[in-house]
Every structure is written in C-alpha cells, then in structure tokens.
Amino acid sequence: MELFDVEDAQKKSDGQKRIAELEKLIKRYQDSYYNGEAEISDADFDRLWDELKALDPDNAILHKVGADSGNFAKHRHVMPMGSQEKAASPEEFLAWANRHVYDEYLVEYKLDGASLELQYEDGSLVRAVTRGDGETGDVITANAMKMDGVQKSLVENGKPVPFTGGIRGEVIMTHEVHKKYYSDKANCRNAANGLMKRKDGDGSQHLCVIAYDVWSTSGKQPYKDEEEKLLWLKKLNFNVVPLYIAKSAQEVIDYRARVMEMRKDLEYDIDGLVIKERTVNHEDTLRDRPDRQIAFKFSLEEAVSIVRKVEWNESGATYTPVAIFDAVDLNGTTVQRASLANPNTIKNLGLQIGSHVVVVKRGEIIPKIERVVAEENSNPLFPIELPEKCSTCGSSLVNEGTRLYCPNKDCSKRILHQLLKWVSVADIRDLGETLVTALFNDGKLKSITDLYSLTEENLSPYFLNQESLMQDKKSLGAQKVYASIQAHRELSLSKYVAGFDIEGIGETVVEKLMAGGFPTLEAILNATEEQIAAVYGFADLMAHTLVQGLNENRTEMEALVRDGVITIRQSTGGLLEGKSFCFTGELVSMKRADAQNLVKSNGGFVKSSVVKGLSYLVTNDTSSGSSKNKKAAELGIPVIDEKEFLNMISSS
C-alpha cells in the first residue's frame, strides 16, 4: 500500500470512530431530553448534530428524533413531528432564504418546551400524544386535560366545531410557575418535560399548551394559509404564538434581533424563530426534515444591547473607539465593551449613542458589534463625537477613516510607547515598563538610540538610595539591566522593523514582506506603497501605514545600523529554513516565546494559527481534541511534540 493510501485509510478509520461516538452521544442526549432532564444545552447538542451532519450527511440518526419512555400507551401522530432545518446565524439564514425566496416570510416564536399533538374526533379531544420518535408517541391524555390551553371540546361563538384531526402545540412552563414551584429544576423545559409524563398527573395543572399547527383528516382544512391557521386556533380559544409578517429576509433578521432583546421579558422561554411561507405546504411537513421552513435559532454567542457611550483608547499614536453597552451574557461571559476599530466602523454601522446593536462572540475571544438593529420606536439617539486634539501634545488628530491618530512624531506619548514596544520586541526582559517610564520621564530616554547609550551610572539611581550612591556602592540591578541591553544589539530584520512601533506592523507582517521580495532593510525602506500592496497578505491600507511609518523613522533606522549600534542578523539559511511552526499548549523545557525565537534563528517561520501550508504543529498533547489538533488533522499537517521539535534543531 502506498504512503498516501495508508494516510487516507487512517483518516477514514478516525472518521468512522468519530461518527460512532457522535451517534452514541446524540442518542443519549435525545433520550435524556425526551424522558426527563436534559444533560446538555441546546447549543451543545446542536454542535454535536452539526458535526455528525458534516461527517455523515445521510446518517439515519439525523432523520429521527428521540423516543419516549415505555410508561404509557403509544399512538401514531396525525402530523409527523420531524426535526426542522436550522440556522444559527444571519449568514446561515440568508443562505437558506436565497434558496427560498418568498413574497412574505411568516415568523413565529420557536417555543422552548415539549411538543404535543391533541387529536380530536368531531370536535372532542380523544387523545394527547407526545413527540416520541416523530411518528408515534406516548398517550398522556389525562395529564393534558389538566393543562391550561387544552380544549376538551372545540367551540366557536357557542357552537360546536366538528373538527377531526390534529392540533399541534408546545407544552411550556412559565417563568412565574418555575420560580414559585419548581426552582430546583434547571429550567422551565426540564421541569415541564418531567411533569407532563408523571403517571399520577400531579403538576400537569401548572403547565400550559400553546398551539401553532393544525391538520384536518376529514373534509377541507379550516383555513386557507398559515396566517388563517393561527386565527382559527385563536377563535377556538387556544393559546397561540405571536405572528410577524416580514417582506424580506433582512426584515426577518432585524425582527430576530428585536426579539432577542425582549425575550428576557417574555413569560415563557423561546430559543429562536420559525420561518415559513404563507402557503400551507403539507407535503413538505410530511418529510422527516421539512425544507420549506426553518428554525432561525438564537445563539449563546450573540445578544442585543444598547450603546451607552464610546471611549477612546490611546495606544501610541492611535485613538481606537470602544463601545460601552448594557451588559449581556455571551457564551457564559458577561460582556459590556467591544472595540469599534476605527472611525469608518462607526460610520459604516450607522452607530450612535443609544443604538440597539447585535453583539457577537462567535468562536472569538474579543466581542464585536455586528450591526445596528432597526428600531421603530427607538430611544433618543446622539452622534458619537470623535476627539479632535491629542490629549498629550495638543496636536490636531488626523482622521483617515481607517485610523485616527496623532501625527506629531515628537509627542511624548508616542515616544514612550515606541520605547516600550522596542524593549518588548527585542526581548530585553530585565528592562521593565516601570524603569523605562521613569527613565523617559527623567529625560534620560528620548529615543531607541538612547537605550544603548545608558550606563550603569545612569541606571544606579533607580536601584539605590541616596546614601548608597554617596558611598559609591555598585548596584547589581543596574549591572543586570545594562548587561541585558548590551546583549540585545543583534536582531533579525523582522524584529528590527517591528520594534519601531509602526501601527499594525509586527514580526509576522515583516516576514511576509521579506518573503515577498524585500529581504533587506534598504529594500524595505525604498519600497513604494504600490510595491508593498502587491505582496501577498498586504493591501493598500497596510502598505500606506507601513510606508508612512518607515518615512517617519527612516533617519533613526538607518543611523542605528550605520553607526554599529544595532547589527541586523542576516538570514544564512538554517536547520529550519523554509519550514513553518505553530505552537499550542504548554512547553516543558522553555517558554513559548523562546521556542518561537529558536525557529526564527534557525531560518524558520512562526505562525499563530493552523493554516494550509503550515509545516508542523508543536504540542505536548498530540492526542488532544483541541481545535488546532483537529484542523491539523484535516489539513494533513504533522503534529509533533516538544522533544521532536528540539531534535530537529539539534540534528546536523
């Protein structure tokens, strides 16, 4: 067997194992959901479901729902209770809507309870059947008759309605009932699930049924479309879900955002919206997974809030807007701040103080304002005022849209920030921020060049008191800092350029520039914006910022090298030349920064994430199920441990 055949076989085997594992987990969590206490959240269950769907779209378990216990008699449904297609984000919903273009989108709440079908003959309730396996469920008629909203006989305006067929609804528990009687249960849905299936029926009187679907098995349907269906149910005194009619997919998205904000004040739980066309499509509903409607779910990774103010963070020359909004919970974390990046973001969002906004945190650490919610009756809105003067030097700020900054190179705030950046990039660890700031405030540090002119005598007053200085005592601290500075006079080109604190230009960016045909300082300094923008990974804005920063610092950048203060280490190949590494998890023998420096000093490149073309992922937990390990497996990237990595460097 060829090598690639072996690799393919291994991947296939791993995939089958994961599929089997997912089948067991989904079956287990379905059983716990339908028979009492759900073990995991809907969001976690959806992630398992989506993973199985991606690995094995035709898997039989995807076309089933769970099954009830064997404690009750069984009966078939009038209407099959399959699972709906779902979208968890506006992007996923739009992808569905692009394939399902309707004149109107009828939008209902997706109730977070337990499905129940009420079966009638000539207007009298004959049985109530739980969801079960989607085709057959438990008969809990006696319990259902105790629930609010269940009509034992169908009557309209005092006259019997001889309806034969099924009426589908959701068994829910209100927040008030949960708080008063069942606060020991994790949530309303779990409590309702347990009560509705009690053999003695105790507690069913605390439950409520909200109806949303009808199908007659005798004669014509008592409605013409989905809207009339709800009106008919309401006339028969059923509790029904609210209906919203949207004229476009975008209007659905805006409505969802408004509901996300108000749902905390609803008397019962909902976990999304159900989107339908106006026409009743019974054939579609008979499918195990209807295609003409979709559940547009709420996500734990998004919420709606109101922007109360905008603060401006000052970092070096740049002023970055940060939105402050009412606190929201995103994936278990309380959040009330999000960066707005630059003035263009504020403009493009149409953001104002008082705006209702959607805040997202989809797999990201840093929250982001995704969009402004269209409000019909909004609170008063006020424009966001941009600072006009530098708070340090008073210079007029420059607003380029993509960046708001102080243009004064001699601004003390800019100089201090650059000094701190240089110390960090050059890895002068013994020279801390407090000492750099003190030296700067005392006028002993005004530039990067000044760092290398410091003497032990300059540094001693920051470690010794006046009495010790008078006695000409030597400071070990001063000696250590001086030695550390002197030990960092040789830098790679990427570190050298990155150390000058040009906005958005770090070592990785410089390495891309070097690989793109600018391998020397002279080449980089003389490159035009157009030439840099043509390099892979760059664009016009980054090229503009880089060239502007290089021009500002050109004199010092050339002088440091020309005068021998700094030596730029030339790349002469190395054991890792042309190879790229990404590190994840803890290392044993060194810090991650040291390992990354080893890669660079041996001619290799460091990447912060697992991407196509990466040579190796380094981790001491090679069997971990982390996202980086999974991505490496998907892309066929070798995963090695720390020992293997060090062996690569020590080999000759």
Side-chain angles (χ1 to χ4, degrees):
M1 184 180 288
E2 296 292 336
L3 173 61
F4 291 112
D5 292 335
V6 174
E7 291 178 349
D8 290 343
Q10 182 61 47
K11 288 180 182 178
K12 186 174 181 180
S13 175
D14 292 343
Q16 292 300 325
K17 288 180 182 177
R18 182 57 178 165
I19 288 170
E21 181 182 3
L22 289 168
E23 288 174 343
K24 289 180 181 178
L25 289 172
I26 289 172
K27 179 66 168 60
R28 168 185 166 182
Y29 295 137
Q30 279 182 330
D31 288 345
S32 66
Y33 174 88
Y34 290 111
N35 296 302
E37 296 276 341
E39 295 182 54
I40 62 173
S41 68
D42 277 2
D44 288 337
F45 181 83
D46 286 344
R47 277 191 275 271
L48 295 174
W49 185 281
D50 290 341
E51 185 181 354
L52 180 59
K53 188 175 181 180
L55 291 172
D56 187 11
D58 298 321
N59 193 290
I61 204 168
L62 298 173
H63 303 278
K64 294 180 182 178
V65 294
D68 291 322
S69 67
N71 297 327
F72 294 87
K74 308 292 182 183
H75 201 278
R76 290 184 65 83
H77 300 139
V78 171
M79 296 173 283
M81 295 189 184
S83 296
Q84 291 174 310
E85 287 293 339
K86 66 182 185 306
S89 69
E91 293 77 18
E92 290 179 11
F93 170 70
L94 285 174
W96 176 86
N98 287 336
R99 302 190 305 271
H100 302 80
V101 180
Y102 304 149
D103 293 334
E104 297 174 315
Y105 293 89
L106 275 65
V107 188
E108 303 170 4
Y109 288 170
K110 184 179 181 300
L111 302 165
D112 191 14
S115 295
L116 185 69
E117 183 178 82
L118 304 173
Q119 298 181 355
Y120 291 85
E121 291 182 6
D122 293 324
S124 296
L125 179 66
V126 292
R127 68 186 63 85
V129 186
T130 64
R131 186 178 191 177
D133 63 4
E135 295 183 359
T136 301
D138 288 345
V139 178
I140 60 165
T141 312
N143 290 359
M145 285 184 174
K146 298 180 181 180
M147 300 176 188
D148 176 63
V150 173
Q151 306 303 319
K152 299 174 185 177
S153 299
L154 302 183
V155 178
E156 181 181 355
N157 297 326
K159 297 180 180 180
V161 176
F163 170 81
T164 296
I167 293 177
R168 185 174 175 181
E170 198 86 353
V171 180
I172 60 102
M173 176 181 285
T174 64
H175 297 150
E176 182 180 357
V177 168
H178 181 262
K179 182 178 180 181
K180 186 174 181 180
Y181 299 106
Y182 304 102
S183 58
D184 59 316
K185 300 295 182 182
N187 52 53
C188 293
R189 184 186 66 192
N190 281 1
N193 264 346
L195 290 176
M196 66 187 281
K197 296 175 186 174
R198 286 186 60 134
K199 291 293 284 185
D200 60 8
D202 187 38
S204 289
Q205 69 273 16
H206 292 144
L207 304 178
C208 174
V209 174
I210 299 177
Y212 54 84
D213 206 357
V214 181
W215 188 255
S216 172
T217 57
S218 176
K220 293 183 179 180
Q221 301 304 322
Y223 49 81
K224 293 179 181 178
D225 58 33
E226 290 287 350
E227 183 178 14
E228 282 194 7
K229 182 188 292 182
L230 293 179
L231 291 173
W232 184 80
L233 287 167
K234 195 170 184 179
K235 287 178 183 177
L236 298 182
N237 296 314
F238 284 98
N239 302 313
V240 298
V241 291
L243 176 68
Y244 180 84
I245 301 175
K247 299 296 184 182
S248 67
Q250 184 58 50
E251 190 178 344
V252 173
I253 293 171
D254 293 338
Y255 175 66
R256 172 177 175 265
R258 295 198 294 273
V259 174
M260 282 167 55
E261 183 177 14
M262 62 179 278
R263 68 171 169 147
K264 62 181 179 295
D265 299 319
L266 295 177
E267 61 178 343
Y268 50 79
D269 290 330
I270 62 175
D271 59 357
L273 304 173
V274 176
I275 321 299
K276 305 176 179 178
E277 58 186 324
R278 177 174 285 276
T279 303
V280 175
N281 193 320
H282 188 58
E283 288 186 7
D284 186 57
T285 61
L286 294 176
R287 300 171 57 178
D288 57 15
R289 206 166 181 83
D291 175 65
R292 302 289 296 178
Q293 58 180 265
I294 192 168
F296 192 178
K297 300 194 74 174
F298 301 136
S299 169
L300 294 175
E301 297 173 335
E302 61 181 333
V304 175
S305 188
I306 301 174
V307 173
R308 299 301 181 183
K309 64 178 180 178
V310 169
E311 296 178 349
W312 292 85
N313 281 356
E314 302 175 32
S315 177
T318 304
Y319 285 68
T320 303
V322 178
I324 313 299
F325 43 81
D326 293 341
V328 293
D329 186 75
L330 290 178
N331 229 356
T333 304
T334 300
V335 174
Q336 60 184 135
R337 300 170 63 89
S339 173
L340 294 169
N342 53 50
N344 273 358
T345 301
I346 296 173
K347 180 180 178 181
N348 294 338
L349 285 171
L351 188 67
Q352 299 186 73
I353 304 299
S355 291
H356 292 240
V357 295
V358 177
V359 186
V360 300
K361 193 181 177 185
R362 294 196 181 100
E364 300 175 4
I365 297 174
I366 303 174
K368 171 188 173 185
I369 289 180
E370 189 170 75
R371 63 185 181 280
V372 171
V373 180
E375 283 288 320
E376 296 176 2
N377 299 306
S378 178
N379 296 325
L381 300 176
F382 304 95
I384 295 170
E385 296 183 4
L386 275 62
E388 297 180 351
K389 299 288 185 180
C390 175
S391 62
T392 302
C393 69
S395 299
S396 295
L397 299 180
V398 175
N399 182 5
E400 293 183 343
T402 56
R403 185 181 175 216
L404 181 68
Y405 66 96
C406 172
N408 179 15
K409 188 181 183 308
D410 296 323
C411 175
S412 59
K413 176 182 61 182
R414 287 190 60 180
I415 296 171
L416 176 58
H417 195 272
Q418 185 182 61
L419 287 167
L420 293 171
K421 179 65 177 288
W422 178 271
V423 169
S424 173
V425 172
D427 202 25
I428 309 175
R429 298 183 187 179
D430 295 309
L431 184 55
E433 181 177 344
T434 302
L435 180 54
V436 172
T437 303
L439 288 164
F440 173 78
N441 290 336
D442 291 344
K444 290 184 170 59
L445 274 184
K446 297 180 181 179
S447 66
I448 293 171
T449 304
D450 289 344
L451 272 172
Y452 295 92
S453 300
L454 290 172
T455 64
E456 289 184 30
E457 288 71 25
N458 297 142
L459 294 166
S460 290
Y462 298 91
F463 293 90
L464 301 176
N465 57 30
Q466 191 62 36
E467 182 181 348
S468 297
L469 290 171
M470 292 291 290
Q471 296 173 4
D472 290 329
K473 288 187 176 181
K474 296 292 183 181
S475 166
L476 293 177
Q479 291 176 359
K480 188 176 182 181
V481 171
Y482 175 77
S484 185
I485 294 172
Q486 298 307 312
H488 291 83
R489 286 180 175 270
E490 182 178 283
L491 301 173
S492 66
L493 179 57
S494 60
K495 281 185 177 290
Y496 186 74
V497 175
F500 277 87
D501 195 28
I502 300 171
E503 178 74 17
I505 307 301
E507 291 180 64
T508 302
V509 172
V510 181
E511 287 169 357
K512 288 180 181 178
L513 191 60
M514 294 165 62
F518 301 90
T520 65
L521 178 61
E522 183 182 9
I524 291 175
L525 288 173
N526 293 325
T528 65
E529 287 188 25
E530 292 76 13
Q531 289 172 326
I532 292 175
V535 174
Y536 176 76
F538 282 77
D540 292 342
L541 293 177
M542 185 181 287
H544 171 72
T545 303
L546 175 57
V547 170
Q548 184 182 60
L550 291 171
N551 288 336
E552 283 185 348
N553 293 282
R554 185 182 190 117
T555 300
E556 187 172 21
M557 292 178 87
E558 291 179 330
L560 281 170
V561 176
R562 183 187 62 241
D563 297 341
V565 177
I566 297 294
T567 299
I568 294 179
R569 185 169 55 247
Q570 299 299 319
S571 177
T572 56
L575 292 168
L576 304 181
E577 184 175 13
K579 295 181 175 66
S580 55
F581 295 79
C582 175
F583 294 86
T584 184
E586 293 185 9
L587 299 179
V588 177
S589 63
M590 67 186 78
K591 294 182 178 179
R592 187 180 297 184
D594 294 328
Q596 292 172 338
N597 287 335
L598 271 177
V599 170
K600 294 174 183 178
S601 64
N602 281 275
F605 294 94
V606 174
K607 295 184 182 294
S608 59
S609 59
V610 177
V611 294
K612 188 175 181 180
L614 180 71
S615 302
Y616 298 96
L617 174 65
V618 184
T619 173
N620 282 325
D621 189 2
T622 56
S623 60
S624 164
S626 70
S627 59
K628 285 185 177 179
N629 280 34
K630 289 180 180 177
K631 189 69 179 291
E634 290 172 9
L635 297 175
I637 295 168
V639 180
I640 62 175
D641 59 23
E642 183 178 349
K643 183 178 179 181
E644 291 175 281
F645 166 68
L646 293 174
N647 285 340
M648 294 174 72
I649 296 175
S650 61
S651 63
S652 56

